Amino acid sequence: MEYKFTDIEKNCKDFWKKENIYKVDIDTTKPKFYVLDMFPYPSGAGLHVGHPLGYVASDIYARYKRLKGFNVLHPMGYDAFGLPAEQYAIETGTHPAITTDTAIKRYREQMDKIGFSFDWSREVKTCDPNYYKWTQWIFLKLFNSWYNREKNKAEPIETLISGFETYGCTTGWKQFDPQLHPEFSAEDWKSFSKKQQERILQFYRLAYRSYTEVNWCEALGCVLANDEVKDGKSERGGYPVTRKRMRQWSLRITEYADRLLDGLNTIDWSESLKDQQRNWIGRSEGALLQFHVPGAEFLLEVFTTRIDTLFGATFLVVAPEHEYMQQLITDEQRPAMEEYLAYVGSRSDIERQQEKAVTGCFTGSYAEHPFTGIKIPIWTAEYVLAGYGTGAIMAVPADDERDRKFAEKFGLTVIEIIDKTMYEGATIEDKLGKMINSDFLNGMEVKDAIEEMIKRVEEMNIGKRQVNYKLRDASYSRQRYWGEPFPIKYEVQGDTDSPFVIEDDQDEADIPVGLDESQLPVELPQVESYKPSGDGRSPLATNADWVAKNLETDTMPGYAGSSWYYFRYMDPQNNTAFAGKEAVDYWQNVDVYFGGSEHAVGHLLYSRFWHKVLFDLGYAPTEEPFKKLVNQGMIQGVSSVVYRVNGTKIFLSKGIIDKVLNSTIYNISEVVDQVNLQLGYQAFDGQGNTTVAAAKVPMEEAAAAGMTLLNHTIKNISALNIDISFVSNDELDINEFRRWRNDYADAELVLDNGKYICGSAVEKMSKSKYNVVNPDDVIAQYGADCFRMFEMFLGPIEQSKPWDDKGISGVSNFLKRFWRLFYDDKGWRVTEEAATPAELKVLHKTLKKIGEDIEKLNLNTSVSAFMIATNELTALKTNKRAVLEPLLIALAPFAPFATEWLWGENGFKNQGSIHQTAFPQFDEKYLTESEFDYPVSINGKVRAQVKLSLDMDAQEVEKHILGLEQVTRWTNSATPKKFVFVKGRIINVVV
RNA sequence: GCGGGCGUGGCGAAAUUGGCAGACGCACUAGACUUAGGAUCUAGCGCCGCAAGGCAUGGGGGUUCAAGUCCCUCCGCCCGCACCA
C-alpha cells in the first residue's frame, strides 16, 4: 500500500476530533507541563511557512512530554486587538471585529492542516469581552495598588491610605519625595477633598495618570510605548514619531526594575535575551550631587557614576530642555543661548543620533565646586539628555571621551585626576588607576576613592548614593478604537484649588475612579468613525453615550491583553476569576515558552512585570511567568530577482550580470558578443545627452549611425523582485513573466545559453517581495508530516534560515522509506518474529538519541536519527513488530498523521490513539557489544583499528595493541612508554 | 564604542563537551531498472596523490599523548544597545 498522506490526514483529523484526544484537564495524578507558543496577531495575509516553525517545535515537545507521562497544557489563541485591523477599518469602514474574525478563521484552517495538538477548547481571543473583562480586572488591580518599598512588594492602595490617615506623609517616611508633593500630616490628609487625596494617590498607584513626554505618532494619531519606537519611527508602519507632552495613563514598572533584573538570574532564557532586558532596564550605580549656583534659588543636581573624579570636574553641562534652563541664562549670554536652543529644537531625534556633532553653548552662569570653591562654568549641550539622570552632568574632560571632545572644542580647562600608568590597556569602565590632583583622594585606587567621596558628600549633605535606571514607566494610553476600554470613569469635582500646586494639574477638574468589578466588562461600543479625532483624542470620544457616562475614552495598548494570556488558558471559561485558584495552583506557570526574540523588551518584560504584581497580590503562585524560553529563528524567504536596465525594458540574465560585474568586461558590446545576441542600448549624441532610449539595434547599424554603447548602461541596473512561482531552479518561466504585468509583456530578455537565469536574495518573507511560501501548498504537495519534519530538519531551532524548497525531497523520501518498513508491494509486512541483536541495537540507539535530542530541543538532529535508523533497518530488511512499534511511537510527535495511521493498521493495537501511549524506554544493554572496534592512536594520530572485547583485561588489551603491525611500524620500538586509558580502555600508545 | 553570538565541503548542517571531523540531507557524478522520469535502487562525493600516505574546522601561536572543542592573538560576519554621565 502506498503512502497516501491526503487520505491519512483526513482520517486522522476526523478520528482526533471524534475522540477529543487533545482535550486536557487538571489531573493531580500526573505531573503538569505547560508548553506555550506566543499567540499570533491574526493578520489578513494568513500564515507563511515561517510562522509555524515555533509551533511545530513546541508541538513535538508537547506531544513528547505527553508520551512521557506528563499532563500537558498546550493551548493556542489570538492576540486580536491591534493596529492593522483598525487601519483597515479606517480605510474601508469594515468593523475590525469582522476583519479579525475572518483572519482568525483562516489561521485556524491553516493550523489545523499542520496537525497541532492544541486543546482548542481553551482558545482565547484578547478582543473577546469575556477575555478582556479580566484584562480590565487586572488593570483595576494595578490602579488599586501601590508599591511598598519597605516590604518590597505591591499592596492594595488601602494600606497606603490607612498609612496616610494614621501618620500622614512626612520626611520621616522613606517613600516620601518632596519633589512629588509637599508633606502633610494625618490631619491634613483627613481634611483634603477627595480630589486632593486622589492627586496624591496618583503618585503611588501602579497605574496612574500624569503628564508625560510621550512618543506621539501623528500618522497613527496615537501614543506609542518606548519599545514600539525603532530609530525614531513607529515599529508598525514606520511613521515618524515626535515627542509630545500629554496626560496619559502609565504603569509604574520602574518600581520593579530591581526585581525584574534579579529575576533574570532565576530563569532559563538565552543570555542575549536577558542582556537585552538588562540593557533596557539600564541600572547604573552612582551618586547624586548638588552644586550651589551663587545667586540662584535652586541647587543644580547631577548624577554621576564617577564621583571620585569630582576634582577633575571643570564645567557642568545641562540638557537644553533642563527645567532651570531659563534661570541659568544670563542677560549677556541670552542671544547666543536663544540661538542655540532654537537650533537644538530644530533637530529631530534621528538627526541628533546620527550626526553626533559636538555642539554647545555657555549659559553664563557658574556653579561652585563643593571642595575647592572654584567657579565652574555651566554649559548646555545636546549630548546631555533631559530624560536620563537629572538632565545635568559634571563634566570631567580628563576621564570622559565626550567631555574631553567638548572641552577641546570650546577651550575649557582639563585637570588630570587619574594616573593609569600601572594599568596598561585599562578602559574608563574598568575603574582602575590612582587618584592624583585630588586633594584628600590622592593616592587612592578609583574604587576606594568613590566610596570615600560618597562618604564625604553625604556628611556635607550635598549628595548621596543613587541608583539610576534607563527604564521609564510604561505608557499605557492609546488614542485608538480597537483595544480594551479602561474600566475608569471620571467623577466631576468642583474644586480646582488644591493646596498643592502640582505642575499643570489644574486643567483636570475630574478625578479618575476605578469601576466596580461587578461592572466589568466595559464593552467596546460602536462608533461611527474609527478615525482618531486628530486633536489627540480617541474615536471613543465621538460616542455621545460613552462621553455622557464620563468613561475614559482612550483604550489600552497592544501589550495589555498579551501580558497575562498564559493564565487565561489555564481556565478560559471562568466567569468569576481571571483563572480559578485550583487551575492556577495546578498549572503554576509556563515551563517552556516558544517565541520570537522581537518581543525581548516589550511583551516579555511587561508580562514579567504584570506577573510579579499578581504574585505580590497573591494571585500568582510564582515570581516568574516563563521558566524556559526558546527563541525560534525566522524562516526567511528566498526571493527571485530579474535585472532590469534602468529606464528600459531590457532584462539581463544573471550570467551576463556576473560577467560584467565580476570580470574585466566593461564594454557592453563584448558582453553582447559573448552571449551572441543583439542588445538594446542607449546612445548619446556626443554632447553627453542621452538621446536614444532603449532600442533593439544590431551592433553594426548602431555603429554606422554613430551611436556609442555606454558602459554605464549595463552598470545601471536594478534588481526587481518577481514572484518566485515563475522560477524553477533559478530559471525564469518567460511566458509567465510576460503575462504577470502589462509592462513586461514586451520585455526584451537577454538570455544566457537560451535561458533567463534569475538572481536570488535571502530576505524577510513578505508579500511585497513575492517570496512568500504558503504552508498549505507545501502540505498539499508533500503532506503535513513532511512539512513538520522538514521545518525541523532545516537547522537548529534558534537559528534563522532561508526556506529551501529543494531540500524537502530528502524528508519526503525518508517518510516513504519509513512507510515501506511497514508496507511493501504485497501489503502489510510486519511480523511477530523476535528481533535480532543488530535490529535491537538500531532501535535502542535511536530511542536514546531521540529522547536526549527532544529534551534538548535539538530537533534537527533527531530527524536525522530517524533517517539513519530507517536506512539501517531497510538494509537489515527488518519487519519485526518488536522493533518497528517502539520506533513508530518515537516518531509520533514528529509525524502525527502517518504514525497514527500505521498504529491503527493491521497487527497493531487497534484501539486508542498512538498519541496517548507511552514513549518507549531504551535499554543500555542493547547498545554495548561484547566485541567492538577501537581506534588506536600512536602519538596522537589514529593509525589502526583493534578489535577488543569486554572481557579482556588491561594486559590482554595491551598485548593486542602491541601485536598490531601498525604499532611496530610506527613506534620503531617494541616497548611503548605509556598507554592512555579513557573510560577504562586503551586508546593511545605513546612512544 | 559597549554587550551577546558565530566562523567546519558546492549548500543546510553533525560531532558523546578534549577522543576516528564532515553523521544526516540537498546538489552533483556514474551505474541499474525503465517507453519515460521531478519515480526507485546501487555506488562515489573535503583537498593533494596511481597508491601508500599527506593536508584540512577563518589566520597565527600555545596547552595536551590527543584540539573544531581549552588559552592567547589577529581577521571577518550576524544580532542587540548606543552621546546613559
Side-chain angles (χ1 to χ4, degrees), chain A residues 668-684:
Chain A
I668 200 166
S669 60
E670 274 182 58
V671 176
V672 174
D673 279 348
Q674 285 213 2
V675 294
N676 196 25
L677 273 165
Q678 296 172 351
L679 177 69
Y681 48 87
Q682 292 176 310
F684 69 104

Side-chain angles (χ1 to χ4, degrees), chain A residues 146-153 172-175:
Chain A
W146 68 294
Y147 198 82
N148 184 332
R149 292 184 197 165
E150 273 150 355
K151 295 188 183 158
N152 214 6
K153 61 182 281 219
W173 186 46
K174 209 175 151 191
Q175 243 161 293

Side-chain angles (χ1 to χ4, degrees), chain A residues 836-879:
Chain A
T836 65
E839 290 171 334
L840 287 170
K841 188 183 172 190
V842 173
L843 171 67
H844 287 270
K845 176 182 82 176
T846 308
L847 292 178
K848 184 179 182 200
K849 173 96 174 121
I850 300 298
E852 288 168 356
D853 278 353
I854 300 179
E855 292 286 358
K856 285 187 277 183
L857 285 162
N858 291 338
L859 300 178
N860 56 329
T861 49
S862 47
V863 175
S864 292
F866 280 115
M867 291 178 172
I868 295 167
T870 303
N871 291 347
E872 289 175 352
L873 293 177
T874 303
L876 291 168
K877 298 194 164 47
T878 298
N879 60 351

Side-chain angles (χ1 to χ4, degrees), chain A residues 34 36 38-39 78-81 124 126 131-132 134-136 138-139 142 225 227-228 251 253 260 474-476 478 484 556-570 578 590 593 599 601-615 620 623-626:
Chain A
Y34 190 172
L36 181 66
M38 286 186 189
F39 61 171
Y78 305 95
D79 187 14
F81 275 132
V124 303
T126 54
Y131 180 89
Y132 67 67
W134 299 104
T135 310
Q136 292 170 338
I138 296 173
F139 175 81
L142 290 162
D227 65 282
E228 291 167 323
L251 301 186
I253 190 173
L260 288 168
S475 149
Y476 200 70
R478 297 293 180 273
E484 298 87 347
M556 298 191 199
Y559 62 82
S562 61
S563 289
W564 71 282
Y565 73 111
Y566 54 93
F567 274 126
R568 191 61 180 169
Y569 285 133
M570 296 178 186
F578 69 98
V590 177
Y593 193 23
H599 298 108
V601 291
H603 161 62
L604 287 172
L605 197 62
Y606 296 125
S607 294
R608 294 183 60 223
F609 162 49
W610 284 42
H611 192 96
K612 283 175 192 299
V613 175
L614 290 172
F615 173 77
E623 263 268 0
E624 289 285 339
F626 315 119

